Amino acid sequence: MNTPSASFAQLVPGMVGMTLVGSSVTVSHALVDAPLFTTQAVRYAAATALLVVIARFAGARLVWPRGREWLWLAGLAVTGLVLFNVAVVRGVAHAEPAVIAVAVACVPLLLGVMGPLLEGRSPSRQVLLAAPVVMAGAVLVQGTGRTDAVGVAWAALALGCEAGFTLLAVPVLRRHGPWGVSAHAAWLGGIMLAVLGVTLEGPSAALELTGGQWAAAGYLALMVTAVAFVLWYSTVRSVGAGRAGLLTGIAPLAAAVAGAVSGTGVPGPSVWLGIAVVIVGLVAGLRTRAVPAGGGSAKEHEEHVEHTAAAVAPPAPAEHPLPGKSGVGSSPSGSA
């Protein structure tokens, strides 16, 4: 039987990952004037190198995708890495940033429904009831803003892409683990962004980056990609996409706190109210239910939730390792 402390321990990596993602907003301001695709290509190329090196020292085996895995991973890279960045940048030209952020705040509900279905089970009523609370709190934190029809369309695309970043990883997490999914998504997305950068911004666009922009890209590569990706997918693999999806509510909270610490603005009353609402939603959706003594159904339900990711795909031999990589496998304990 899983104890509350053990359940909380499985959520910690995802909480830290979302905190890093939210706090990165301040760092990203340094890249506003940088060439979008080229900068992101540099970021993901650096992240790939970091992931490969760190995974080797961590003893995580990286294997080549096969069959339909290429489709899942390519779809993840297209939506979660490439199109998401395009939607955010292009969207703010037609809508205030808060509009895009509020749309992304709907991710918990989308993951709460679609995640369990991909994992072969029914959505949890506990998560479905908590998800709108988390969304409401995130809306209060980010506020509302002006937009037009094009801005709404970009916001909807950003929502779908953010959800795809998690949902499209579910079918391949069993074989590749958090390290493999993160590494393959990074290099696939890096190649796509490099092609767009060379085509739309020119082959010398990287030379336009300033020292501060290089530093910002380096931080995003290490902390928000190499580290946060692995932490996030570790939690998705442990507790399921639906339950992990509630943790996305932490990102706007971290962004607000980071903004206050960096001096870009002290949160107002509505932001603090939103923070309180998000915390209530997270506690309601993530709390561990007590299991009665000898309790069959509740215990079976808890064990089913914890092991759903393992049932997504049958075990497969760790064949075709990436050149120069060795390790003991990509089990949860050896992957994060």
Side-chain angles (χ1 to χ4, degrees):
M1 180 179 69
N2 292 313
T3 63
S5 59
S7 178
F8 179 77
Q10 292 173 323
L11 297 171
V12 170
M15 296 169 68
V16 175
M18 282 296 109
T19 300
L20 289 172
V21 170
S23 62
S24 69
V25 173
T26 302
V27 177
S28 297
H29 282 304
L31 301 175
V32 171
D33 297 324
L36 170 63
F37 300 116
T38 300
T39 304
Q40 295 298 328
V42 169
R43 165 190 174 180
Y44 289 117
T48 300
L50 289 168
L51 284 165
V52 170
V53 172
I54 299 174
R56 182 172 184 177
F57 283 102
R61 180 185 289 271
L62 302 180
V63 296
W64 283 112
R66 62 186 184 186
R68 293 183 179 180
E69 292 176 349
W70 285 106
L71 297 178
W72 292 110
L73 290 167
L76 190 162
V78 169
T79 58
L81 277 61
V82 179
L83 285 181
F84 179 78
N85 283 300
V86 174
V88 170
V89 174
R90 297 292 181 259
V92 295
H94 295 270
E96 293 183 16
V99 174
I100 308 297
V102 167
V104 175
C106 297
V107 167
L109 184 57
L110 192 56
L111 293 182
V113 175
M114 298 300 298
L117 295 178
L118 282 175
E119 295 161 350
R121 58 187 176 87
S122 300
S124 165
R125 184 174 66 176
Q126 180 181 349
V127 171
L128 291 180
L129 291 176
V133 178
V134 175
M135 290 163 49
V139 169
L140 285 172
V141 172
Q142 296 291 353
T144 57
R146 297 180 299 275
T147 184
D148 55 23
V150 177
V152 171
W154 283 119
L157 179 60
L159 166 62
C161 290
E162 180 68 9
F165 177 74
T166 297
L167 296 175
L168 294 176
V170 171
V172 291
L173 269 173
R174 174 67 183 94
R175 179 169 180 260
H176 291 275
W179 289 99
V181 172
S182 300
H184 289 308
W187 74 261
L188 285 168
I191 290 177
M192 297 173 191
L193 287 161
V195 172
L196 289 172
V198 171
T199 303
L200 301 177
E201 298 167 346
S204 62
L207 300 177
E208 301 174 11
L209 297 178
T210 65
Q213 291 170 339
W214 277 106
Y219 176 85
L220 294 176
L222 175 60
M223 301 304 297
V224 186
T225 306
V227 174
F229 278 25
V230 173
L231 292 175
W232 176 248
Y233 287 135
S234 295
T235 292
V236 172
R237 188 184 191 189
S238 298
V239 306
R243 197 172 179 212
L246 293 175
L247 298 178
T248 59
I250 294 176
L253 308 189
V257 172
V261 172
S262 65
T264 57
V266 177
S270 63
V271 173
W272 292 115
L273 175 61
I275 290 175
V277 172
V278 169
I279 291 174
V280 170
L282 290 174
V283 171
L286 300 174
R287 73 183 187 278
T288 302
R289 294 181 177 178
V291 179
S297 60
K299 179 178 180 180
E300 291 170 358
H301 173 74
E302 182 68 17
E303 291 175 345
H304 184 60
V305 170
E306 301 300 337
H307 296 287
T308 47
V312 172
E319 56 189 3
H320 306 306
L322 296 183
K325 313 301 174 296
S326 60
V328 295
S330 55
S331 63
S333 60
S335 299

